[in-house]
Amino acid sequence: MSLAHGRPTRAIPGPSIIPDAVLNAMHQAAPNIYEGPLIDTTASVMADLKRVARTEGDLAMYIGNGHAAWEAALVNTLAPGDRILVLSTGRFGLGWADMARRLGIEVEIMEFGPRAVADPAQVEDRLRADKRHEIKALLTVQTDTASSVNNDIAAIGAALKAAAHPALYFADCIASLACERFEMDAWGVDVMVSACQKGLMTPPGVAMTWSNGRAAAARRGLERVSPYFDWAPRHDPGHYYQNFCGTAPTHHIFGLRAALDMILAEGLEAVWHRHQVMAETVWAAVDVWAETGDLRANIADRAARSVAVTGVLTGPDDAARIRAWCEREANVTLGIGLNLEGGDLPQGGSLFRIGHMGHLNPPMILGTLGTIDAGLKALGIAHGGGALRVASEVIAAAVSGPAQAAAE
């Protein structure tokens, strides 16, 4: 008898769970798109998105997904024939690289495999070797949701600076913005891309680019830019419609306003801390499961793990069995394993992902872990016992520690 009733739990690495406040904000009639409150609401959303990205630079919003943001970043700064260096630590750096190739950009890949972070020292060495400065841009992903690795954006930026190389620095924060600490201006990032459906807790449909003066100079040097993706009129619109090259994504703006209100009310530092606690709760359970059998975290080094998603390796096809059981019997959806290249990483049927991003609290994460634990038992998959006890201790320590300190 299935117990898959009640509200579903989507423990996938995006789209993340949508808060009721966001859904309620979007549940309204179409607004006036020519004048009135929508114009002011849009301006406030744009200002607060820059606050979340920690930048004084320019913001452009697009009706699209993360791939739209990838393309916008490329076509506004690079021309066919330009050369870029892309750091690969999973799947999505390679996806961005493939898009660049299709736009006529020459791509060089630095491959670090799907179980490790990009090494800033190797990046610095490669940039120092580029004496003629043929590399026009350095691209990396902060959180690769396929591998669940978290690259050190600050350290890579420092490597670029140490090499005294003029390449533009691009960061993909689609899965990490409003989850993982990110400091665009302080870390020397020239172009950052993201989208609304993960840490920003809004249904898919809006992509964004943030860019600084160096990126703007690159845009001015191009002979031709896609009319839709051109960020220049979006950065300095003479009329409201130019913010979106046409009709605004009205209800996404309403949703983003509610989501940003939640994030800023909690405080960005507190949001980052909550994600760290939720991640450590998941890691505690996974590490206990790994004591017996084939289960283990894809990223062994905790310091290299994303706080937004955790990839879990299993025995052959066990990941597919776990996912199916959790969905069918308990209405919990886990992330599929995306096929990855390199190292000893198996294919998708032996990897599942636990998303822990956005609108998340202890009952939600402990419920997900408890369901997985029950599934392992029901399916007879070997695993270490006591995962829920250890995971709950992480929550208890995080909550009681500050309270105890205040009492003293």
Side-chain angles (χ1 to χ4, degrees):
M1 179 183 69
S2 172
L3 301 177
H5 301 278
R7 175 173 288 191
T9 297
R10 301 291 183 245
I12 61 177
S16 64
I17 293 170
I18 305 168
D20 288 341
V22 173
L23 292 172
N24 292 339
M26 298 178 75
H27 190 70
Q28 58 179 285
N32 185 341
I33 62 170
Y34 306 110
E35 58 188 3
L38 178 66
I39 283 75
D40 292 337
T41 300
T42 303
S44 73
V45 165
M46 290 181 165
D48 286 340
L49 285 170
K50 290 167 65 173
R51 291 176 63 187
V52 171
R54 304 283 200 150
T55 184
E56 297 296 325
D58 293 313
L59 169 72
M61 298 174 66
Y62 299 87
I63 299 175
N65 56 20
H67 290 70
W70 278 354
E71 185 162 337
L74 295 169
V75 300
N76 277 283
T77 55
L78 299 161
D82 283 347
R83 186 175 187 83
I84 63 174
L85 179 64
V86 180
L87 312 184
S88 172
T89 55
R91 177 166 177 169
F92 289 96
L94 294 174
W96 205 357
D98 181 64
M99 178 176 283
R101 285 194 192 95
R102 295 170 68 182
L103 290 168
I105 297 166
E106 294 185 12
V107 176
E108 177 182 338
I109 303 291
M110 285 194 76
E111 179 61 64
F112 295 94
R115 305 192 67 187
V117 295
D119 180 2
Q122 292 184 46
V123 174
E124 181 179 342
D125 289 344
R126 175 64 189 93
L127 292 171
R128 286 184 182 277
D130 181 28
K131 302 295 185 183
R132 298 173 60 184
H133 295 164
E134 294 177 342
I135 295 170
K136 302 303 180 185
L138 169 66
L139 281 63
T140 191
V141 174
Q142 183 172 34
T143 286
D144 192 304
T145 56
S147 63
S148 71
V149 74
N150 185 70
N151 286 306
D152 191 334
I153 301 299
I156 296 168
L160 179 61
K161 184 176 181 180
H165 197 289
L168 292 171
Y169 185 22
F170 290 32
D172 172 337
C173 296
I174 294 169
S176 57
L177 189 68
C179 302
E180 188 85 42
R181 178 177 290 277
F182 180 76
E183 306 274 359
M184 179 170 172
D185 291 352
W187 293 351
V189 175
D190 297 301
V191 179
M192 188 270 278
V193 302
S194 195
C196 67
Q197 73 270 23
K198 302 199 183 231
L200 294 175
M201 306 180 293
T202 305
V206 171
M208 309 93 166
T209 62
W210 293 253
S211 54
N212 64 12
R214 291 200 336 126
R219 159 66 187 81
R220 290 193 296 271
L222 297 177
E223 293 183 6
R224 185 182 299 108
V225 176
S226 158
Y228 181 78
F229 284 111
D230 189 358
W231 65 30
R234 297 171 189 256
H235 290 169
D236 187 23
H239 302 280
Y240 177 74
Y241 76 88
Q242 291 177 301
N243 283 291
F244 304 101
C245 195
T247 305
T250 54
H251 289 66
H252 279 80
I253 292 171
F254 299 147
L256 279 167
R257 181 63 273 160
L260 288 163
D261 286 344
M262 295 175 67
I263 290 168
L264 296 175
E266 183 178 358
L268 196 52
E269 295 276 354
V271 169
W272 292 336
H273 175 70
R274 175 169 54 82
H275 279 83
Q276 184 71 38
V277 173
M278 295 298 104
E280 290 179 357
T281 303
V282 172
W283 302 343
V286 173
D287 289 349
V288 170
W289 291 331
E291 292 174 357
T292 301
D294 296 324
L295 272 73
R296 64 194 187 280
N298 179 51
I299 305 299
D301 180 3
R302 284 193 172 211
R305 294 178 185 173
S306 165
V307 302
V309 57
T310 296
V312 183
L313 298 172
T314 71
D317 295 322
D318 281 346
R321 297 172 61 212
I322 293 167
R323 287 187 59 257
W325 189 94
C326 290
E327 179 84 27
R328 181 181 67 249
E329 305 298 341
N331 212 358
V332 172
T333 306
L334 301 173
I336 63 172
L338 301 177
N339 292 341
L340 297 166
E341 300 175 1
D344 61 348
L345 196 64
Q347 298 301 295
S350 299
L351 185 148
F352 69 90
R353 297 173 298 157
I354 305 170
H356 35 89
M357 59 174 63
H359 188 56
L360 198 64
N361 62 19
M364 297 161 78
I365 199 64
L366 290 172
T368 296
L369 295 172
T371 298
I372 296 170
D373 197 72
L376 295 173
K377 292 179 172 67
L379 295 169
I381 296 173
H383 63 286
L388 269 293
R389 174 183 58 79
V390 176
S392 66
E393 289 172 354
V394 175
I395 299 290
V399 173
S400 64
Q404 182 64 32
E408 294 174 354

